[in-house]
Amino acid sequence: MEKWRKILMATVAAASVAGCQAGPDPEKVADATPEEVTRVEPLCWWTGMKTPLQLMVQGKGVGSKDVRIVGGKGVSVRACHPAHNPDYLFVDVEIAADAKPGTYYLLVSDGRQMVKYPYLIREREKGSAERASFTTADLIYLVMPDRFASAREGNDHAWDGDAYDDGSLRPWTVPETPDVVDRTDPVARHGGDLQGMIDHLDYVADLGATAIWSTPLLLDNQPQESYHGYACSDYYHIDPRFGDNALYRRFVDEAHGKGLKVVMDIVTNHCGTTHWWMDNPPFEDWYHAGEPYMQMNALFSVYMDPHASVKDRDRQQSGWFVPSMPDMNLDNPYVLRYFQQWAVWWIEYAGLDGLRVDTYPYNEPEPMSEWCKAVRGEYPNMNIVGECWDMNIPQVAYWQSGHPNPNGFDSHLPCIMDFPLQRAILQALTEDEVWWDEGMTRVYSVLAQDFAYTDLDNLLIFFANHDHARTGDVLRHDPARMRIALALLATLRGIPQLYYGDEMMFCERPFSHHDGSRRIDFPGGWSGDEVDLFTEAGRAAAGYTSEADYTTAAGLHDYARTLLRWRRGASVIHHGKTLHFLSRKNVGDRNITDNTYSFFRYDDKDAVFVYVNNTDEERALDWAHYDEFVSGPVTGRDVISGEPVTLEDGLVVEPRSALIVEFKR
């Protein structure tokens, strides 16, 4: 990093061209050809932004040319920075507080010839910086676009809509996309698209979700397995098989119109081997060298380990995720600035409400801390959740902003994914023969360590996402266990996230332990599907098919919908405290858990009592067990049935079920 600070100081001193807004009349200057100016990123910008604008200009030999901006008041070039590659120039642009929106022009000159490139400065929407984000009041519904719903047949080619409404003034060249649709192949594209997502937003909102997160929609042009989107080929354009930038913006608008926030899934750690810059990067160290190939070690502990070797740390942050995903070098300040602006650009352009960062601890920690600060400097209320996939609570807590780490590191990452709780829930619900530390004790024990976290309201809780086996398979296709999982998701502390189809216990068919097979198509999302689980009538009619059993889909959906709609308005769940209890029993000379778990979510006025009976037998309440919280029987409302219920000694809780009762304190 010190090397880069010296380079930056030298290039600023040598190449400063402040105040160069005056110049020739652009009407009299020829347009740049695609060879002279191939691309300029970000695609456009806005007035009134805090984030400094640095344009990455690509073109044949542009690194040695002079660049200025003309076309209006208050926009000028402050400095130019040549890259190692002569085909790139990084241009710092000054946008004054009184700058006017409109079309400006980059004038590019080699001293003999001058050409122009149009650049749009838009007017920023009022209140953009203060936008709200996702909180504990939300439930986030996660979809994989390619497997959710298709609005048109095929999807092998570019979207035939307004493909160039991306904020730029030069059309985007739609690339060839070799990975075609084949729904019989679990690792091929299946043809889901943005319009299919738009068409089914009513389903998501009706379920009780208040936010939607989709796996990446940006161009992934890998020749195989491009459907998941995590190997980006162009950071500024939606994959044409999903739609285009304008359609994505319409998706966000439509979601907002139905009361749904939108969370964008982004990847700063790696791109794909088909990214356009791979054959001709701006700097030699734009990404970490892939020859000889070095695999990352997935050893997050090296960052907080006082005994860790430099070699292990370097391998963690510089190794590639997989051979098809080159590792970006965020220690290069131009790379870091590129990704900071990119995140801000998508938030502003599309009107986003939150970000989810993939493989967060694979990035270089210090630059990513700066990345988070930059994004939240522009949007102070913006929530960002990082995927910190670790089962050790102290190592997960390390990544949450404000955590008192002994090494002084602060990620500035507000929200983290609660992987320890995810594993505890699934293990608990699959254990029938339990001893003192198994079954529901696992959930209790994870929550007992909440002291390790800085902010309990900023833990994303879940029992599955796109990287996991289908919960229905893990829970042995048992709808009773699935209902308990849904009950815990809806009532525990944190921000809940539900993976598409888990509300109806989607299962992998045939079972193969392969990610592509787990990411199944949502029945009814394609014309001609035998089953349609998006509609009430379709769920009621669903039964056995040649591939799956949907006989419990309607009942599970209704259970989930009742629960999630209730949660949407349950302030005590959003903001309340937790008091939990674990029951024991004697077996011979041993004292073990009876595999039940109960807790209160409460504030000064309201309370919710949750009793999980994770056994094959009825359990009767010992209400005196809770007398430190409430004295004597209380009458409340059963959240699922809507009927009044009195919480008292002897109240029977059915096997494999969760009792959820709300009452006034």
Side-chain angles (χ1 to χ4, degrees):
M1 201 65 179
E2 184 58 33
K3 174 193 76 171
W4 276 109
R5 288 193 184 93
K6 293 178 180 178
I7 291 174
L8 277 173
M9 291 175 65
T11 54
V12 169
S16 178
V17 288
C20 297
Q21 70 182 49
D25 180 357
E27 293 290 331
K28 300 178 181 179
V29 178
D31 293 334
T33 67
E35 184 181 47
E36 290 168 326
V37 179
T38 307
R39 59 173 48 83
V40 175
E41 292 178 344
L43 303 181
C44 67
W45 206 245
W46 293 265
T47 58
M49 304 290 283
K50 293 181 181 178
T51 304
L53 176 59
Q54 183 178 83
L55 301 177
M56 182 175 74
V57 181
Q58 183 193 27
K60 189 67 174 177
V62 74
S64 61
K65 296 179 180 179
D66 174 69
V67 175
R68 66 183 69 181
I69 292 180
V70 298
K73 177 184 177 183
V75 181
S76 61
V77 171
R78 185 166 53 86
C80 293
H81 312 279
H84 293 162
N85 188 326
D87 293 341
Y88 290 88
L89 188 67
F90 290 84
V91 180
D92 294 339
V93 177
E94 186 80 33
I95 302 178
D98 60 349
K100 301 299 182 184
T103 300
Y104 290 76
Y105 292 91
L106 301 181
L107 299 183
V108 181
S109 173
D110 61 3
R112 293 176 292 110
Q113 181 182 6
M114 179 178 290
V115 295
K116 70 174 185 290
Y117 185 96
Y119 195 78
L120 181 62
I121 303 293
R122 293 180 161 188
E123 183 175 8
R124 192 177 195 184
E125 290 188 16
K126 187 176 181 180
S128 171
E130 294 76 32
R131 71 184 63 214
S133 192
F134 61 91
T135 69
T136 53
D138 292 300
L139 179 130
I140 302 172
Y141 192 76
L142 166 61
V143 303
M144 178 160 272
D146 182 65
R147 307 298 168 92
F148 190 60
S150 175
R152 65 183 184 129
E153 300 296 329
N155 280 28
D156 298 33
H157 310 292
W159 184 260
D160 51 5
D162 186 10
Y164 309 126
D165 183 13
D166 52 17
S168 68
L169 293 174
R170 172 175 285 189
W172 181 52
T173 301
V174 179
E176 293 295 323
T177 51
D179 196 7
V180 298
V181 170
D182 181 358
R183 290 186 70 195
T184 67
D185 184 348
V187 298
R189 299 187 81 100
H190 288 191
D193 51 47
L194 265 168
Q195 189 60 51
M197 292 168 61
I198 292 171
D199 292 346
H200 293 91
L201 285 172
D202 282 333
Y203 171 84
V204 178
D206 178 73
L207 185 63
T210 58
I212 186 167
W213 152 29
S214 77
T215 53
L217 286 152
L218 299 178
L219 176 64
D220 181 333
N221 212 14
Q222 298 296 118
Q224 293 90 31
E225 298 193 49
S226 68
Y227 72 92
H228 57 65
Y230 285 99
C232 185
S233 301
D234 188 314
Y235 283 98
Y236 278 96
H237 289 97
I238 296 296
D239 193 300
R241 290 159 292 190
F242 291 140
D244 57 30
N245 288 10
L247 190 62
Y248 181 64
R249 188 162 56 182
R250 186 158 73 83
F251 161 73
V252 175
D253 289 342
E254 294 278 348
H256 288 167
K258 298 180 187 302
L260 295 168
K261 300 173 183 176
V262 177
V263 179
M264 190 179 198
D265 196 334
I266 64 173
V267 189
T268 52
N269 177 69
H270 53 263
C271 63
T273 51
T274 59
H275 195 286
W276 58 260
W277 59 41
M278 288 302 296
D279 294 332
N280 191 35
F283 290 92
E284 294 171 359
D285 62 351
W286 189 254
Y287 55 89
H288 292 116
E291 295 181 3
Y293 177 75
M294 182 172 70
Q295 180 77 30
M296 57 82 199
N297 53 17
L299 201 61
F300 305 157
S301 61
V302 296
Y303 298 122
M304 67 282 295
D305 179 3
H307 315 295
S309 66
V310 172
K311 185 181 291 289
D312 285 342
R313 181 184 173 106
D314 287 348
R315 189 180 187 96
Q316 168 63 24
Q317 65 183 18
S318 301
W320 288 26
F321 191 70
V322 293
S324 62
M325 297 179 179
D327 193 79
M328 300 307 300
N329 179 21
L330 297 182
D331 280 326
N332 180 320
Y334 294 100
V335 177
L336 178 58
R337 176 74 70 85
Y338 181 94
F339 281 114
Q340 288 170 334
Q341 291 182 148
W342 163 66
V344 168
W345 189 88
W346 275 108
I347 293 168
E348 197 70 24
Y349 169 78
L352 299 175
D353 307 290
L355 300 175
R356 181 261 185 186
V357 183
D358 185 64
T359 56
Y360 191 89
Y362 291 88
N363 294 280
E364 294 88 338
E366 289 78 11
M368 275 307 289
S369 173
E370 293 301 313
W371 180 90
C372 285
K373 284 177 64 177
V375 175
R376 301 197 79 213
E378 191 69 66
Y379 306 99
N381 302 318
M382 179 62 57
N383 209 347
I384 306 170
V385 58
E387 181 197 29
C388 305
W389 193 337
D390 201 295
M391 301 305 170
N392 298 300
I393 290 174
Q395 291 179 204
V396 176
Y398 176 89
W399 298 103
Q400 191 172 39
S401 179
H403 194 265
N405 296 316
N407 62 5
F409 172 73
D410 189 337
S411 69
H412 294 101
L413 174 70
C415 187
I416 49 180
M417 297 174 69
D418 195 343
F419 281 94
L421 180 60
Q422 183 260 347
R423 181 173 69 172
I425 290 173
L426 294 186
Q427 285 184 321
L429 294 181
T430 54
E431 292 174 334
D432 299 325
E433 299 295 328
V434 297
W435 295 101
W436 65 276
D437 62 345
E438 297 169 328
M440 295 308 296
T441 304
R442 296 184 186 277
V443 178
Y444 182 98
S445 296
V446 167
L447 293 176
Q449 298 175 71
D450 275 355
F451 64 86
Y453 296 112
T454 306
D455 183 1
L456 294 179
D457 285 346
N458 258 324
L459 297 176
L460 188 79
I461 66 171
F462 60 105
F463 50 76
N465 62 30
H466 57 288
D467 287 322
H468 294 97
R470 276 288 168 180
T471 306
D473 292 313
V474 175
L475 300 184
R476 304 196 290 271
H477 312 153
D478 185 346
R481 296 175 201 261
M482 181 61 81
R483 282 192 288 269
I484 293 176
L486 289 164
L488 290 170
L489 184 73
T491 56
L492 290 173
R493 89 294 185 260
I495 304 168
Q497 169 252 298
L498 180 67
Y499 187 35
Y500 79 98
D502 276 350
E503 68 274 17
M504 289 179 278
M505 200 174 67
F506 283 10
C507 297
E508 180 185 346
R509 292 292 187 272
F511 195 77
S512 68
H513 293 289
H514 192 284
D515 282 348
S517 297
R518 294 166 173 172
R519 298 160 178 171
I520 64 175
D521 298 348
F522 198 116
W526 280 255
S527 176
D529 278 359
E530 183 180 353
V531 173
D532 183 0
L533 297 183
F534 279 116
T535 66
E536 205 87 41
R539 291 189 292 271
Y544 291 99
T545 72
S546 58
E547 293 185 348
D549 173 10
Y550 295 116
T551 55
T552 63
L556 278 170
H557 173 274
D558 291 350
Y559 178 89
R561 180 169 60 181
T562 299
L563 197 55
L564 301 183
R565 284 181 171 183
W566 162 78
R567 189 194 185 280
R568 192 164 54 192
S571 176
V572 66
I573 298 294
H574 308 160
H575 308 296
K577 298 178 181 179
T578 299
L579 177 66
H580 63 171
F581 298 81
L582 196 66
S583 297
R584 298 288 190 182
K585 66 179 180 179
N586 292 322
V587 176
D589 60 350
R590 296 189 180 188
N591 181 255
I592 66 171
T593 179
D594 71 349
N595 214 4
T596 66
Y597 176 53
S598 50
F599 56 94
F600 294 92
R601 298 298 310 282
Y602 68 96
D603 57 25
D604 292 339
K605 296 180 179 179
D606 300 299
V608 175
F609 176 68
V610 181
Y611 185 96
V612 174
N613 178 10
N614 190 30
T615 77
D616 289 327
E617 302 172 344
E618 292 181 347
R619 286 288 186 265
L621 287 189
D622 174 11
W623 192 242
H625 189 60
Y626 310 107
D627 59 9
E628 68 183 84
F629 182 79
V630 58
S631 178
V634 295
T635 298
R637 188 185 77 93
D638 185 305
V639 166
I640 300 301
S641 71
E643 298 297 321
V645 61
T646 300
L647 296 169
E648 59 186 348
D649 284 347
L651 178 65
V652 173
V653 181
E654 296 299 317
R656 296 272 181 237
S657 70
L659 173 69
I660 308 172
V661 178
E662 60 180 355
F663 61 92
K664 294 291 183 182
R665 296 193 67 184

